[in-house]
Amino acid sequence: MFAVLKVFWLVAIAILMTACSSVEEQQFYHRINDAYDFEVTHCDSFAMASGVGSGEHALQEAQEKARRYGEEIGGTHIVWLQTDELEDSVKVIAVVYKCLQ
């Protein structure tokens, strides 16, 4: 009986710790890699990606949207070209590459 309660409390604590982590602490796995232009000279550029974010983490949100689009279309690398800080938001523009590895 004691072992069951111990497992229950460990699971409950793990869930609470996960739920309480902030957006800044969360790092999401991406199948697309951030790169500099010299790192993708052997790759094919095939799309542009953009994203817009607002609020406290506007840049992170904008980049996340662009990365997600790049992943959806099969990109392997993304090179950031431009970041525009607008009145209440941030817009990013990037080139999506497909590299044979």
Side-chain angles (χ1 to χ4, degrees), residues 10-26 28:
L10 287 174
V11 170
I13 290 171
I15 291 171
L16 284 173
M17 289 176 64
T18 304
C20 293
S21 65
S22 70
V23 173
E24 294 176 31
E25 295 172 353
Q26 294 178 354
F28 299 104

Side-chain angles (χ1 to χ4, degrees), residues 17-45:
M17 289 176 64
T18 304
C20 293
S21 65
S22 70
V23 173
E24 294 176 31
E25 295 172 353
Q26 294 178 354
Q27 294 295 321
F28 299 104
Y29 171 76
H30 294 285
R31 291 173 295 193
I32 194 166
N33 300 304
D34 287 7
Y36 294 104
D37 53 354
F38 67 86
E39 296 175 300
V40 292
T41 55
H42 63 286
C43 306
D44 293 325
S45 64

Side-chain angles (χ1 to χ4, degrees), residues 1-19:
M1 181 70 166
F2 178 71
V4 173
L5 286 174
K6 186 176 178 181
V7 170
F8 171 78
W9 283 112
L10 287 174
V11 170
I13 290 171
I15 291 171
L16 284 173
M17 289 176 64
T18 304

Side-chain angles (χ1 to χ4, degrees), residues 51-53 58 83-92:
V52 178
T83 302
D84 294 324
E85 293 186 25
L86 308 172
E87 191 172 308
D88 59 345
S89 61
V90 173
K91 180 179 181 180
V92 295

Side-chain angles (χ1 to χ4, degrees), residues 64-92:
E64 178 68 25
K65 289 178 181 178
R67 278 189 196 99
R68 210 172 311 132
Y69 173 72
E71 288 175 352
E72 288 173 7
I73 61 173
T76 60
H77 293 76
I78 190 165
V79 175
W80 303 106
L81 293 181
Q82 185 173 339
T83 302
D84 294 324
E85 293 186 25
L86 308 172
E87 191 172 308
D88 59 345
S89 61
V90 173
K91 180 179 181 180
V92 295

